Each structure stands twice: as C-alpha cells, then as structure tokens.
Amino acid sequence: MKGLQYQLKSVLRDKFCLMTFLLPILVAVVLNFMGSIDMSSLGEHHFGVLENDLPPQTVVWLERYGPVTEYGTLEELTAAVNEPSTNVIGVKAEGDSLKTSISGDELDIFRQAAVTLPTLYEQREETEQVEVLALERPDILESFQGIFIPAVLIVAMFMGCTFNAMNIISEKEDGVAFINEILPMTPSRYILQKVIVGFLFGGLSSIITACICFQLSWQNFGIILALIVLSSFVAALIGLFIGKLSEGLMVGVVYIKIVMLVFIAVPIVCALIGVSGPLATVCNLVPSQPAFEGIMALSAGNMGTAVKDVGILAVHGIAWFTLYVLISTRCKRVGNKSHGETKNTKPGE
C-alpha cells in the first residue's frame, strides 16, 4: 500500500502525466462546444467593391450571394483581396458587366465563383425567372464527429501507457529501479503496483471523457465501461514494456510517440477505408482497434459487435499480462543467477 501511495505522489508531481490526464477531457469539451457553433459562414462568399463604383442595384444583387464590403481606395481593396486569411473576391464595374479579382490562394470553390460571377451577372434577368430551392446546409462537423469522439476516447484509454512508461523511466534515472530489483517482491506484485497507477488515471480520464461525449443508457454504459477498463489495463501493461525497454527519457518519449501513433492511426485508417476480412483480424492485434470498433458499434446501436470487441480486449489483457510475467520472471532468474556466480567467485580467479 505504501508503494502505491508513493507511485500516486510521484504521478501528481509530474506535470507531463497531469497534462496527459487532462488533455482528452479538454478536447472532449472543445468538441462538444464546437458542435454547437454554426460554422456554415466559413463557406460564404465575401465581396469587396469600391465606393461609388457599382450601381446600388448591383450591390443589392451581390448581397444575395454574400456580404459586400465597400473600400475607399483601390489599394485598400487590393490589400483585402490579397489578405491570406480571407477569401474576399474583388468586384469592379467593366461597362455593363463586372470584373472580378482574386489573389490565387483561395479554395477552388471561391475561384470558380470569381470566374462565374460576370456571366451570372449578365444573365441575371434570365436567372431571376428560375425557381430556386434552398436546401438545408449540413453541419460541417457532424460527419466527422463519429470518428473524432472515439479517437479522443482512444487517446484517453491508452494514456495509462504514458503514465507507466514515464514513471518507470523516472525511477531508472533516479536509481529507484535498482532498489526494486533487490526487494523481495514477486513479478505479479510489481506488475500490480505499477499497472494500477496508469490504470486508475487512464480509466478515470476515459470515464470523464465518455460522460462528456455520450448520453448513454445503463446497458450501454456497462459495455463502454468494460471497454474502458480493459483498454486502460492493456495500455498500462504496454507502458511497462516501454519503461523496461527504454534506456533514457528521450528514448522513452520516442517509443511512446510511436505507440500512440499506431494506436490512433490503425483504427482511424480502418474506419475510413472499411477494412474487412483477414486484414481486419490482423488489425485487431493492435489493442486500440477493438476498442475503437466497439465504441463505433455502440454509437450505431450494434451491441453484438461491441460485446465481441470486449472479448477481444479481454484476450489482449490476458496475453500481455502473461507475456510480461514470463519476461520479468526470466529476467529476475538470470539476474539472480549472475549475482550468485559473482558471489561464489573467489578473488583472483
């Protein structure tokens, strides 16, 4: 128990660990906040004209397609058009028609509008007789939230990997790891003491993130809780491997980045390209894939797939735990054997 208290105090003093705990929660809050913001204005056309250059009826006609801003001089209009942060289309009179100007760094939709606008103005009388049906503008973020939210939850679930890896690396640099090697502690007890810290923090971060992102029934909450618990446990075990293999802080950070990149990239790529068949089975070897698939299935109301993914994660947990116990036991036996041989060797031999 004292060892666990020491681990918790060590984590609470580590700003990097605290940041990894809070980051998914903050992202979940931002996603929910952005979901309530109307971003449709980003796709509107914006026009810039010179004062007293266009007839009032032409300005009114332009306002049907987007906001119109008047500028006092040609230099001001040119500066507004060339501003990289805007998509302003410059409009000037040219006889009975219009002349448009753009900077060239706009999106293709705004370049096409600039090219089409003079012709549309010339045919304005014919186009006014056409009946126009205004469709509801779709939410830009709605199609992506189905992937964003599970991805944030994956990051939260597998934060235990970062907790444990950084904790073991810090102990190596402080010399505490040498003390742990000579303590009368079984591999299972060592694993429990190390895993529980990353497991608790990763699981707590995931539960808070899930409560922010989802409105779940009790049945669905039970399944997602199982996904969170198993994913956090597997991530904490993988963090032990990273900490054991890392010789220093920089090496550990590189390993953590590689693992997190694989954890995030594999399920997102699988979701985007629709992986199936034998390749899907191979992708399930990455523990984040069944977790991601389970969350997506739960969102779609597919309980069977979510339960199957819970089973896959349970197999992952058993496999990673057994592997680490075997490696730790073997390393300890080799270390004790080497220590015994050194002790029995007489000086001068």
Side-chain angles (χ1 to χ4, degrees):
M1 190 65 183
K2 290 183 178 179
L4 181 58
Q5 291 177 354
Y6 170 78
Q7 301 294 333
L8 290 173
K9 289 180 181 178
S10 177
V11 167
L12 292 174
R13 288 195 299 265
D14 193 330
K15 294 181 180 178
F16 185 80
C17 288
L18 291 176
M19 181 187 68
T20 57
F21 171 75
L22 294 173
L23 182 60
I25 300 173
L26 294 176
V27 173
V29 172
V30 170
L31 280 177
N32 272 7
F33 178 69
M34 290 182 66
S36 61
I37 297 177
D38 183 13
M39 300 184 67
S40 60
S41 60
L42 297 177
E44 287 183 346
H45 298 295
H46 296 264
F47 303 102
V49 300
L50 290 173
E51 291 183 356
N52 303 322
D53 181 56
L54 297 176
Q57 59 270 25
T58 303
V59 175
V60 173
W61 180 82
L62 280 175
E63 288 176 344
R64 295 172 54 187
Y65 301 97
V68 179
T69 304
E70 294 186 350
Y71 296 91
T73 62
L74 181 60
E75 289 76 13
E76 293 178 358
L77 175 60
T78 303
V81 172
N82 292 331
E83 173 62 39
S85 62
T86 65
N87 293 301
V88 175
I89 300 174
V91 181
K92 293 184 291 185
E94 190 177 61
D96 294 334
S97 185
L98 299 177
K99 181 180 180 181
T100 58
S101 60
I102 56 177
S103 63
D105 60 352
E106 297 88 355
L107 296 174
D108 186 59
I109 184 174
F110 298 107
R111 290 197 295 268
Q112 291 180 1
V115 173
T116 308
L117 191 66
T119 304
L120 186 63
Y121 179 74
E122 293 173 359
Q123 300 176 356
R124 63 188 182 280
E125 294 182 358
E126 291 83 357
T127 56
E128 287 178 355
Q129 300 176 3
V130 177
E131 183 178 355
V132 179
L133 176 62
L135 300 177
E136 184 179 356
R137 187 188 300 270
D139 188 357
I140 297 176
L141 293 179
E142 185 178 2
S143 59
F144 295 100
Q145 280 186 342
I147 294 179
F148 282 162
I149 293 176
V152 173
L153 268 176
I154 290 298
V155 174
M157 289 177 186
F158 290 89
M159 276 303 170
C161 174
T162 305
F163 279 108
N164 287 344
M166 296 302 297
N167 181 255
I168 295 175
I169 293 170
S170 299
E171 287 186 351
K172 283 184 177 181
E173 294 186 341
D174 296 338
V176 180
F178 295 106
I179 300 175
N180 290 334
E181 291 179 0
I182 62 175
L183 289 176
M185 186 186 302
T186 63
S188 300
R189 184 179 175 187
Y190 176 81
I191 293 173
L192 179 62
Q193 181 174 307
K194 290 298 181 184
V195 165
I196 196 167
V197 178
F199 171 74
L200 286 177
F201 278 87
L204 182 60
S205 177
S206 303
I207 291 172
I208 296 174
T209 304
C211 291
I212 294 174
C213 295
F214 293 106
Q215 294 181 353
L216 300 170
S217 63
W218 286 109
Q219 183 180 10
N220 290 348
F221 183 78
I223 295 178
I224 201 168
L225 183 61
L227 290 170
I228 289 173
V229 169
L230 292 170
S231 300
S232 301
F233 179 69
V234 172
L237 287 172
I238 295 175
L240 296 186
F241 279 97
I242 294 176
K244 196 175 189 66
L245 296 174
S246 302
E247 298 177 356
L249 179 61
M250 295 308 299
V251 177
V253 170
V254 171
Y255 285 161
I256 290 171
K257 287 185 176 181
I258 292 174
V259 170
M260 292 304 297
L261 181 62
V262 173
F263 280 170
I264 297 173
V266 170
I268 290 179
V269 171
C270 290
L272 291 176
I273 66 177
V275 174
S276 60
L279 184 57
T281 304
V282 174
C283 290
N284 280 329
L285 295 176
V286 180
S288 60
Q289 168 59 19
F292 186 92
E293 186 181 40
I295 297 170
M296 294 281 288
L298 201 60
S299 301
N302 191 344
M303 301 291 292
T305 302
V307 172
K308 178 202 73 174
D309 292 318
V310 170
I312 295 174
L313 282 172
V315 174
H316 268 287
I318 295 171
W320 285 99
F321 181 81
T322 304
L323 180 61
Y324 191 84
V325 169
L326 292 175
I327 292 175
S328 299
T329 304
R330 180 178 177 82
C331 290
K332 195 161 188 176
R333 286 177 180 175
V334 172
N336 291 337
K337 185 177 180 181
S338 301
H339 181 71
E341 290 177 354
T342 304
K343 185 177 181 181
N344 294 329
T345 302
K346 296 180 179 180
E349 291 185 356

